[in-house]
Amino acid sequence: MTIDFDKVIDRHHTYSTQWDYAKDRFGRNDILPFSISDTDFAVPDGVQAALKKRIEHPIYGYTRWNHHDYKGAIKEWYLRRHNIQIDENDIAYSPSVVFSISDFIKMHSDEGDAVATFIPMYDAFFNTIEANNRVLVPIKLGDVYSNYQIDWDMMETVLSQPKIKVFLLTNPHNPTGKVFTKDELTKISNLCYKYKVFLISDDIHQDIVYQPNKYVPILKVRNKNVVLCSSGSKTFNTPGLIGSYLICPDVNDYDQFMIDLKQKNALSSVSILGMYSQIAAYKEDSYVEQLVAYVYQNMKLVQYFFNEHSELGLRFKLPQGTYLAWIDCSRVGLTENELQNQLINVGHVGIMKGSTYGDRSRLRMNIACPREKVEDGLQRILTALK
């Protein structure tokens, strides 16, 4: 079945963070937003059907996630798509990936200890690390313009410090779009083993990868002192239903997470619709293939546009993964605030400023939307900077 990703769906008046609350990020609501990382696409028909069927039952009581239907769907997804065997006993529900990350940071470090991660990075990591009274130690990751260069000497220097207890990875990487190879993951893993650093891998963007690149789960190279955190919510556009999962091979860590989830945080019951959507989503291989192909064409459109309008000073090269365009604005000749003022108040377009993720010379534009919206957004950028 061919999916119509061109279909425009009005999301106003649904309490949408991206559309109804744009003012929170950009100071005004009369803009076209390309901000928070959900998509403007309808969920797959199979997901919608599963949700409708469940809603027909009028009771929404406390509900279990710890069963084969939920965990088996995740296990089969990794086997089918990534050729890796996952033990169902290693899979646990979590309300969000960031909840899991926060818990494992607390589990494997003390207040005052340090967490290393590549920078630029997903902005929620800043808050999660610092609000837990841990020290953030950044390791510079190059973007597509430097072939995603990793400074291995710097990484080893950082990880060798006694205070570094956790390395936080995101693969594919948000915001640069880097997809880590098996060799790179092995090298990262070996350094973490060498210096007894626990490894957390946030793989929530795992499905959005462009050929010839290939997503490799960290569990293919490491099965100790590691947890993989993910969800179908980014790919299938269900973050508002609440739900993620983690895969943790270490029984002691797994048991401790269960205590934290159930006893400490009283989250023994699952988000019902989040669970149903996750089970249904991981049967939708065709949706993923078509989504990736469509978003890749959006990426090519953005690249073509900025090449054609090089006078704007914006540069963009195709990333390896994610639906986040990481745009180089270092040649625009404006400060970050001046650029944002032009985009918001002249072009009426909302694109996330790079300093949110640790790099003032970039913009992050979410292009997981109908092509018509991308074309409109690019014209607004042109208006803003002409």
Side-chain angles (χ1 to χ4, degrees):
M1 175 181 166
T2 302
I3 299 162
D4 183 11
F5 290 109
D6 284 322
K7 183 179 180 181
V8 176
I9 302 172
D10 186 2
R11 296 180 63 190
H12 288 104
H13 313 299
T14 63
Y15 305 105
S16 163
T17 299
Q18 179 165 197
W19 288 88
D20 289 325
Y21 297 94
K23 187 175 182 180
D24 292 349
R25 282 180 167 80
F26 302 108
R28 58 193 302 167
N29 276 326
D30 60 339
I31 61 164
L32 188 66
F34 297 86
S35 53
I36 194 169
S37 54
D38 59 11
T39 81
D40 288 319
F41 303 131
V43 300
D45 289 345
V47 171
Q48 189 74 345
L51 295 175
K52 284 182 177 179
K53 183 178 180 180
R54 179 58 184 87
I55 287 171
E56 287 173 359
H57 193 295
I59 297 176
Y60 304 97
Y62 292 121
T63 303
R64 295 284 182 96
W65 58 264
N66 198 356
H67 48 73
H68 173 72
D69 286 350
Y70 177 72
K71 299 197 289 187
I74 296 167
K75 175 183 176 179
E76 289 301 315
W77 185 258
Y78 280 80
L79 179 60
R80 193 168 67 247
R81 297 188 64 82
H82 309 305
N83 193 31
I84 181 172
Q85 282 279 2
I86 302 295
D87 188 333
E88 285 189 29
N89 293 321
D90 297 343
I91 299 171
Y93 167 83
S94 172
S96 75
V97 164
V98 175
F99 177 93
S100 302
I101 290 170
S102 176
D103 195 66
F104 274 84
I105 286 175
K106 288 182 285 188
M107 201 185 300
H108 286 277
S109 63
D110 296 319
E111 290 191 7
D113 284 338
V115 177
T117 189
F118 288 126
I119 195 168
M121 66 178 179
Y122 174 40
D123 55 308
F125 289 175
F126 289 101
N127 299 331
T128 301
I129 293 168
E130 293 171 357
N132 280 309
N133 297 314
R134 272 65 174 177
V135 178
L136 166 64
V137 180
I139 300 168
K140 178 68 176 175
L141 175 67
D143 60 17
V144 65
Y145 297 100
S146 60
N147 198 30
Y148 297 110
Q149 182 177 358
I150 299 171
D151 187 335
W152 294 107
D153 290 337
M154 174 59 72
M155 186 169 190
E156 179 156 16
T157 298
V158 168
L159 295 184
S160 68
Q161 302 305 305
K163 281 288 187 180
I164 303 290
K165 304 298 184 182
V166 174
F167 179 72
L168 177 52
L169 177 70
T170 172
N171 181 33
H173 186 262
N174 174 6
T176 68
K178 160 80 174 156
V179 178
F180 293 89
T181 66
K182 187 174 183 180
D183 286 346
E184 289 169 334
L185 292 174
T186 300
K187 198 164 185 177
I188 291 168
S189 176
N190 288 342
L191 287 172
C192 288
Y193 275 135
K194 182 177 180 178
Y195 295 107
K196 297 180 174 57
V197 174
F198 188 83
L199 203 162
I200 302 173
S201 189
D202 170 2
D203 293 20
I204 200 167
H205 291 280
Q206 63 176 268
D207 302 309
I208 315 299
V209 175
Y210 309 117
Q211 294 293 334
N213 306 288
K214 183 176 176 58
Y215 162 72
V216 179
I218 188 65
L219 300 176
K220 278 205 168 183
V221 302
R222 182 185 184 94
N223 60 10
K224 294 179 181 178
N225 298 318
V226 64
V227 63
L228 186 154
C229 309
S230 194
S231 171
S233 62
K234 297 292 185 186
T235 304
F236 301 98
N237 204 23
T238 59
L241 297 180
I242 309 302
S244 75
Y245 61 85
L246 58 85
I247 306 172
C248 179
D250 186 281
V251 64
N252 292 325
D253 282 346
Y254 187 98
D255 290 346
Q256 183 60 55
F257 180 77
M258 287 295 97
I259 292 171
D260 295 346
L261 185 76
K262 295 171 141 184
Q263 275 74 53
K264 290 185 179 180
N265 293 288
L267 290 169
S268 55
S269 185
V270 72
S271 164
I272 298 172
L273 298 186
M275 180 185 70
Y276 272 81
S277 68
Q278 179 67 71
I279 293 170
Y282 273 9
K283 300 173 184 175
E284 296 285 346
D285 297 76
S286 178
Y287 182 93
V288 175
E289 305 309 325
Q290 293 183 58
L291 171 68
V292 171
Y294 188 90
V295 173
Y296 185 67
Q297 292 303 314
N298 279 354
M299 288 286 187
K300 289 176 70 174
L301 174 62
V302 173
Q303 178 176 284
Y304 175 81
F305 184 88
F306 289 138
N307 286 343
E308 286 293 295
H309 294 281
S310 58
E311 74 278 4
L312 300 179
L314 294 170
R315 295 191 304 157
F316 176 69
K317 292 177 70 173
L318 299 174
Q320 295 175 343
T322 81
Y323 47 65
L324 306 168
W326 190 236
I327 301 166
D328 179 2
C329 56
S330 61
R331 302 180 180 185
V332 172
L334 299 172
T335 67
E336 183 178 59
N337 288 338
E338 290 170 342
L339 176 57
Q340 282 293 306
N341 179 66
Q342 290 296 113
L343 292 172
I344 295 166
N345 297 315
V346 179
H348 290 233
V349 59
I351 303 173
M352 296 299 290
K353 58 185 180 181
S355 61
T356 302
Y357 315 96
D359 190 340
R360 291 181 177 276
S361 69
R362 300 291 188 266
L363 294 167
R364 198 195 78 167
M365 182 178 184
N366 175 6
I367 51 81
C369 56
R371 197 147 299 135
E372 175 183 317
K373 180 187 174 187
V374 178
E375 292 169 343
D376 188 1
L378 292 172
Q379 288 301 319
R380 289 168 184 249
I381 294 171
L382 184 62
T383 298
L385 298 183
K386 273 282 191 179

